[in-house]
Structure formats: C-alpha cells, structure tokens
Amino acid sequence: MKERSKYFKWLLVVAGLTALLLVAVLISLSTGELKIGLGEALRLLFAGGDESSLEHMLISQVRLPRIMLGVAVGGALSLAGVMLQGIYRNPLVEPFTLGISGGASLGVAFTIVLGLHQKLGAFALPLSGFLGAFLIIFLVYTLSSRRGNINIQHMLLTGVMVSFVASSAMMFLMAVSSTENLHGIVFWIMGSLDEPDTRLVWLTLIVTLLVLFISYLFVQPLNALRLGEEKALHLGINTHVAIKALFLLASLLAGICVAVAGVIGFVGLIIPHVLRLFLGTDYRILLISSFLLGGSFLVLSDVVARTIISPNELPIGVITGIIGGVVFILLMSRKMRKGM
Amino acid sequence: MMGQAFFDIENFACGYPSFRLSGIGFSLEKGSFAGIIGPNGSGKTTLFRGITGSLPPLSGRMLLNGRSLQSLSLRKRAQNIAIVSQFVDADQITVEDYVLMGRIPYYSRFQFFETSRDREIAEKYMRLTETFQHKNKLMTELSGGEQQRAAIARALVQEPELLLLDEPTSHLDITHQVRILNLLQQLNVQMGLTVLMVIHDLNLASEYCDRLLLFNEGRIVNQGKPDDVLTFETIEDVYKTPVIVRTNPYSGKPVVFLVSDKMMKSK
C-alpha cells in the first residue's frame, strides 16, 4: 500500500508539473508588448484565421517558437543538471561547472572576432558555440580518463580548471575586440530565447525529448550511484558505461542549449535542487520532473524578461539568476530552519 | 551443508601499481563462515575488490560453483555475491527504498518499478534483520548498528550464495558487534549462506568463524581452523606485537590477549 501511495504521489507530481508547464505556455502565449487575449491566441494558433495578420504572425512565428525553445532549453538544462549531479554525487555540479559554457562562449567569441559569422550566415554562431562546447568536453574527458576508465572526481576538478582557462581566454578576446564585436559577444553570453531559425528550435526540442527518453534507460544506474560508484558496481551496474553515457547525454544537451540560446545559468543547478527538497533523491521521478519544471521555469522567466522593462527586453540569464537564486536561498533557509 | 566445493580461488593476483595481491589461493565449502584477518594494508579489502570485479584480475581464476567468476556478467555476479561495506554510504533515502536497491541486479533494462515479489523479499529480510519497523525512516536517521543491519538486509535481498563483509563491525560498540555477528551466524546456520568476512578483532574472528585466512603483505600466510591460525608464533610474526594466546573455557576457541609495554617490563 505504501508503495502504491508513493507511485500515486509521483503521478500527481507529474500531472501537476505538466499542468504548470501548460499554464506557463498559455501565459507566455498571451503576454507581451502586444496584448492578445488567451482565447484569441488559442484561436489564432489552432483555428487559423488571417495568416497575414500581425497577431497571427506574432503568435505563430515569434511567441510559439520562443516558448518551444524555452521548454526545450529549460528542460534540457535541468535534465543535464540532474544527470550530472547524479553521476558526480554532488548537488553543486551543473552543465556549466564542467566548462561547457566556457567552451561554447569561447567558440562564439572566436567566430565574432574573426568575423566568420558575417561570412557563414545564421548557423555560424550556434555551430561555433556547439563546437566550442564539445571541444571542451572532449578535452575534459580525455584529461580525466585513463585506459578507458574515467575518474569522476578528477573530471570535476579538470572541468572547473578548464572553465577558468576558457573564461580567461574569453576575457582576453573581449579585451582585444572592437566595440561592435564586444557588444555581440556580451549579448550572446547573456543568453536569449530569440532564435530566428525555427529548424534549430525544432532540433533542440526533439533532441531534448529524445535524451529524456534515453535517460530513463539509465535510471537504475543513477539510483544505484546514490550509494557511490563502487557500491553501484556491487549491484551489477556497469558504472563505467553508465557514467560515460550519462556524461555524454548531459554534454549533448548542454552543448545544444548553449549553441542555440547562449549561456543561461542556474537552471541546471536550481531546478534539480528544489525538486530534491520536495521529492527526495529517486531519479525515477527526478528526471521527468526536472524536465517539466525546468521548461516551465524558463518559459515564465522569459515572460518576465520580455515584459519587465517593455518595450526593451532583459537578458533571460539575468532573470533566471535573480529569481532562481532568491527562491533557492529562501527554500534552503526554510529547510534549514525546519531541520534545526 | 558442509563438505561441498563452492568457492575456489586459484593463484589469483590483482591490485594497484603500488600494491599487489599475488598467489592467492583458498577454497570455501558451501555453508562455511570464513574470516579474513591480517594487519592494515595486508590486502584484505583488495581481495574483496578483486572478487566483486572492482579491480580486474591480473592472473589466476575464481570459481563459484565451478563457474568462472570472470565469465559472469556484473549483473549475474551481483545475483550470486553480495557485499556489505564497513560504512553505509546512504543518501537521503528511506530504509525500505535502500533495501529494495538490492533487487536492482534482477531488474530488466526497461523495468522502472519493483514487483510485488521484490517487495515481499525486501520485507522478509527487513524482518529478519529487525529493520522492518524503521522502513519509512531515512537511512541517515538510523544508528550505526541499525544502518549496518539495513545494509545486511540490502545484501540479502540480492539473494546471494556468497556474502562478503568488509569489517562490518569495526565502528560499532560491543552490543552491536555481537548482534551483527549473531545475525550472520544465524543466516549461516539456518539458511546455509556462505560468509566471508574481513574482521580486525581476532577474538570475534576466533569465536564466530570456522575458518580463518591470515593475510600479510599481499599474500595468505596461514589458513585453517582458528586453533591452527591464531597461535602465539603466527600472530607475533605477522602483527609484530607480543600477545598471549589462551583457550576460551566455554567455547574452546583461542583467545588472544594483548601485552602492553608496561606488562612486558614488569614480567
């Protein structure tokens, strides 16, 4: 009976978080500089209407892709965070701790400074971000592995160090670049869900959903790793394979997110942490919940970023940092008071 | 239950660049209760890491019921051999969920939830180890002795034929030490479970184990019944410490007394 009630609670959590995501999507759809009522927004989206009207274009070509990207990136960053925290058994690890954002930023900065983005077109910046992220991941992975086995604590330290090196290289590039290029680099670093190419939006969403599905194949290894790498091995888990696979999946998610939306910090750290406070450490519920809450959080953060200083827009990374950080501190202090 | 060849290790070697076990050979009968003793750094835990597959073998072979252990997948190995470590490294997890993790070796790749049979097995061993009443508590809320009993329950849920324990009582008070060892003895006698345990306390080893393996510098230097292994000469030679060995008048097993410098000088 106890087990059934636990699973029933999990079902309610998933249903509740799905509802929250839907609410976030609806709010985002109807909120913006141009107010469009919720009913009207849904009618335009599903029933069609005048396709050349400003409202229709705004909903289908601006807000909807932005929402889809918000769901994908928020979900992906949280999912990557929860997977990395699972393999490192460290709640402070997130995709960007391992230098992934540093690598992506460096790739983008190089492209801007060398002017390649003007020659190669719209894909240049996301592609260079992705390549930069993967170059760093490859470097961290190679430096931490010996005869095919990786030392995960060594990997964490290597990631942090490589991240510092990438940040310094980035500052160097910013120091020697022109004012125009500097603006381009800073704007990209601050992160945005404004992606004009819908193919990239679809790609990010599909990859994220696919990784979410694949991550469930590793849910038992993640649960067993709660006891430590060696004890997981004693439970019949091939920890080397599981850790490598999870690391690559998390890197893929983080790499794509950074490439498409720039550096959006805190999501991968805060969302899994908040969920752990309420749901415990079972990855069967944490993986899906992280995706759903991460998506909702980023979509709502984007609404705030778009409206708070309207008609101007704040970088979304500022909102996720401030809201996420404050909520996180409040929750932690409440839990500590309860614990005392 | 005794008398049947069950677990054989032949000329086995494993280890690290700085330390290596070599020429390890012993044989355990089914239902035996064996203890591994020896000074710190003599290779006791390294052997366990070799048996469980944490360290790759460098040479030799290990046979369980006549089957090479190296040929078994990690999952199959975990279905046959369970290990209880010195410290329970448990997360914020309930006792029941912790014990149920012992069923992981039996899950299929697409199995996300435990079956009713898994829960029945977990309940059986939680009752046997007297942890059932704590099943909804977090592992971190239990005392050291209770945590160790939950760890034994988790290992038993794996339904192993061989139970390995790495210093399971070293950080416990004597009440909990005896409770844990009595439980292991009960499992050994009633269920025919074969037990191989690393233990530092020579007197507990003498009292509970029917066979002892004495390790020193990466090798087995003596093995046999406690009477044969726990002799004054052997212990002084391996531990480099003066001792007195007498016989427990109640159990007939050897008892080792330490000799302090002060006592040595006064005699």
Side-chain angles (χ1 to χ4, degrees):
Chain A
M1 282 308 284
K2 183 79 191 168
E3 286 302 314
R4 276 192 199 133
S5 74
K6 182 174 83 182
Y7 297 146
F8 183 66
K9 185 183 144 196
W10 285 0
L11 198 66
L12 284 181
V13 168
V14 173
L17 290 174
T18 309
L20 177 68
L21 184 61
L22 278 175
V23 170
V25 167
L26 293 176
I27 290 174
S28 183
L29 211 53
S30 59
T31 313
E33 203 186 336
L34 180 65
K35 294 269 181 299
I36 301 172
L38 189 57
E40 176 66 5
L42 289 174
R43 193 189 61 76
L44 284 169
L45 200 60
F46 294 111
D50 182 6
E51 291 191 5
S52 60
S53 71
L54 179 66
E55 285 83 359
H56 189 279
M57 279 170 64
L58 186 70
I59 290 289
S60 63
Q61 288 174 33
V62 178
R63 288 192 190 164
L64 188 63
R66 207 175 165 117
I67 291 167
M68 283 165 60
L69 194 61
V71 173
V73 170
L77 290 174
S78 307
L79 191 59
V82 81
M83 288 196 285
L84 290 172
Q85 288 156 19
I87 60 178
Y88 286 100
R89 296 182 75 211
N90 185 334
L92 293 176
V93 178
E94 65 152 342
F96 301 153
T97 320
L98 297 169
I100 298 170
S101 70
S105 308
L106 204 55
V108 168
F110 260 120
T111 309
I112 292 175
V113 168
L114 296 176
L116 293 174
H117 62 302
Q118 284 155 352
K119 293 172 196 156
L120 298 174
F123 270 98
L125 290 186
L127 191 66
S128 55
F130 191 75
L131 287 176
F134 257 81
L135 196 70
I136 290 292
I137 290 160
F138 178 75
L139 192 68
V140 171
Y141 186 88
T142 312
L143 288 173
S144 318
S145 64
R146 197 163 164 244
R147 278 183 265 150
N149 293 331
I150 48 172
N151 179 330
I152 53 171
Q153 295 313 323
H154 188 184
M155 195 182 207
L156 183 56
L157 277 175
T158 311
V160 171
M161 289 306 130
V162 167
S163 189
F164 278 131
V165 175
S167 297
S168 303
M170 180 81 188
M171 278 194 272
F172 171 75
L173 281 180
M174 287 166 81
V176 297
S177 57
S178 65
T179 315
E180 191 192 340
N181 284 347
L182 184 67
H183 183 260
I185 295 172
V186 171
F187 185 78
W188 192 85
I189 288 176
M190 286 193 291
S192 167
L193 293 179
D194 187 17
E195 173 52 57
D197 195 323
T198 46
R199 285 172 303 172
L200 275 177
V201 174
W202 274 109
L203 180 75
T204 313
L205 189 62
I206 289 168
V207 168
T208 305
L209 289 172
L210 209 62
V211 172
L212 175 66
F213 176 75
I214 297 170
S215 70
Y216 267 89
L217 297 179
F218 294 96
V219 76
Q220 294 302 352
L222 273 170
N223 266 347
L225 279 168
R226 288 187 288 173
L227 303 181
E229 202 179 336
E230 186 142 353
K231 283 173 186 157
L233 189 99
H234 297 158
L235 290 172
I237 301 293
N238 191 334
T239 49
H240 298 311
V241 170
I243 287 172
K244 275 183 204 170
L246 286 163
F247 178 74
L248 286 175
L249 287 174
S251 303
L252 176 68
L253 287 179
I256 282 193
C257 289
V258 176
V260 180
V263 180
I264 302 175
F266 288 101
V267 183
L269 181 70
I270 292 161
I271 300 296
H273 225 96
V274 169
L275 286 167
R276 262 192 215 99
L277 290 177
F278 295 102
L279 299 174
T281 55
D282 197 316
Y283 283 86
R284 290 177 292 184
I285 184 67
L286 276 181
L287 290 176
I288 179 77
S289 312
S290 293
F291 170 78
L292 291 169
L293 189 60
S296 310
F297 176 65
L298 206 60
V299 169
L300 289 174
S301 295
D302 185 50
V303 171
V304 177
R306 281 192 287 126
T307 52
I308 199 163
I309 54 163
S310 177
N312 292 323
E313 187 181 319
L314 266 179
I316 194 167
V318 174
I319 304 298
T320 56
I322 293 174
I323 297 182
V326 170
V327 170
F328 182 68
I329 290 166
L330 288 175
L331 283 172
M332 278 299 281
S333 53
R334 209 186 75 174
K335 191 177 164 74
M336 276 172 76
R337 273 203 303 275
K338 263 187 176 177
M340 282 171 193
Chain B
M1 296 300 285
M2 301 281 283
Q4 190 186 340
F6 173 66
F7 185 52
D8 283 298
I9 290 194
E10 295 169 12
N11 199 27
F12 182 73
C14 70
Y16 317 91
S18 56
F19 177 79
R20 181 178 285 194
L21 282 183
S22 57
I24 301 298
F26 64 90
S27 179
L28 293 183
E29 293 166 339
K30 190 158 178 64
S32 57
F33 193 131
I36 299 179
I37 54 173
N40 289 331
S42 59
K44 306 182 294 292
T45 302
T46 308
L47 173 68
F48 271 19
R49 299 195 77 211
I51 295 174
T52 54
S54 301
L55 279 176
L58 299 169
S59 67
R61 58 180 193 160
M62 296 180 285
L63 299 172
L64 185 76
N65 268 331
R67 281 189 72 185
S68 165
L69 218 52
Q70 286 101 311
S71 70
L72 294 180
S73 66
L74 284 169
R75 242 162 68 89
K76 279 278 172 208
R77 211 185 278 216
Q79 289 172 10
N80 287 288
I81 300 174
I83 180 162
V84 175
S85 306
Q86 186 178 357
F87 293 103
V88 178
D89 198 4
D91 203 350
Q92 294 277 324
I93 178 174
T94 65
V95 172
E96 186 175 33
D97 284 345
Y98 175 79
V99 172
L100 271 166
M101 287 174 96
R103 296 304 292 170
I104 287 178
Y106 295 90
Y107 288 175
S108 67
R109 174 142 278 224
F110 294 99
Q111 186 181 340
F112 302 130
F113 301 106
E114 50 278 354
T115 61
S116 53
R117 182 176 143 69
D118 294 326
R119 283 196 292 276
E120 276 168 26
I121 292 169
E123 182 176 336
K124 174 183 163 187
Y125 290 113
M126 278 192 286
R127 288 193 188 281
L128 192 69
T129 53
E130 296 174 30
T131 50
F132 186 73
Q133 66 272 28
H134 304 306
K135 68 174 187 156
N136 295 323
K137 283 187 190 169
L138 291 176
M139 281 295 286
T140 45
E141 292 170 347
L142 301 189
S143 70
E146 288 165 345
Q147 282 188 351
Q148 204 57 280
R149 288 210 308 277
I152 293 171
R154 200 258 305 132
L156 293 174
V157 160
Q158 287 176 241
E159 298 191 306
E161 291 189 86
L162 174 64
L163 180 63
L164 305 179
L165 301 109
D166 190 2
E167 300 182 44
T169 58
S170 59
H171 63 293
L172 302 180
D173 62 42
I174 53 168
T175 314
H176 285 100
Q177 285 186 1
V178 169
R179 247 182 113 178
I180 293 284
L181 290 169
N182 284 343
L183 170 67
L184 293 173
Q185 198 170 50
Q186 182 194 345
L187 294 167
N188 173 251
V189 172
Q190 292 178 2
M191 294 168 49
L193 184 69
T194 309
V195 178
L196 178 60
M197 170 174 69
V198 170
I199 185 161
H200 267 301
D201 190 311
L202 299 179
N203 292 326
L204 288 175
S206 168
E207 206 56 52
Y208 284 91
C209 300
D210 51 45
R211 182 179 171 78
L212 293 179
L213 309 164
L214 177 60
F215 273 64
N216 194 26
E217 294 174 353
R219 291 179 171 276
I220 297 177
V221 292
N222 203 342
Q223 58 177 306
K225 290 181 180 171
D227 294 321
D228 301 328
V229 176
L230 295 178
T231 62
F232 153 77
E233 294 87 355
T234 316
I235 295 171
E236 284 207 344
D237 184 41
V238 170
Y239 287 90
K240 314 284 183 226
T241 303
V243 292
I244 297 167
V245 180
R246 294 282 182 268
T247 302
N248 183 327
Y250 297 100
S251 65
K253 300 278 182 73
V255 185
V256 179
F257 296 97
L258 300 177
V259 181
S260 67
D261 280 353
K262 190 178 164 191
M263 202 191 302
M264 285 282 279
K265 282 171 194 159
S266 66
K267 297 283 172 187

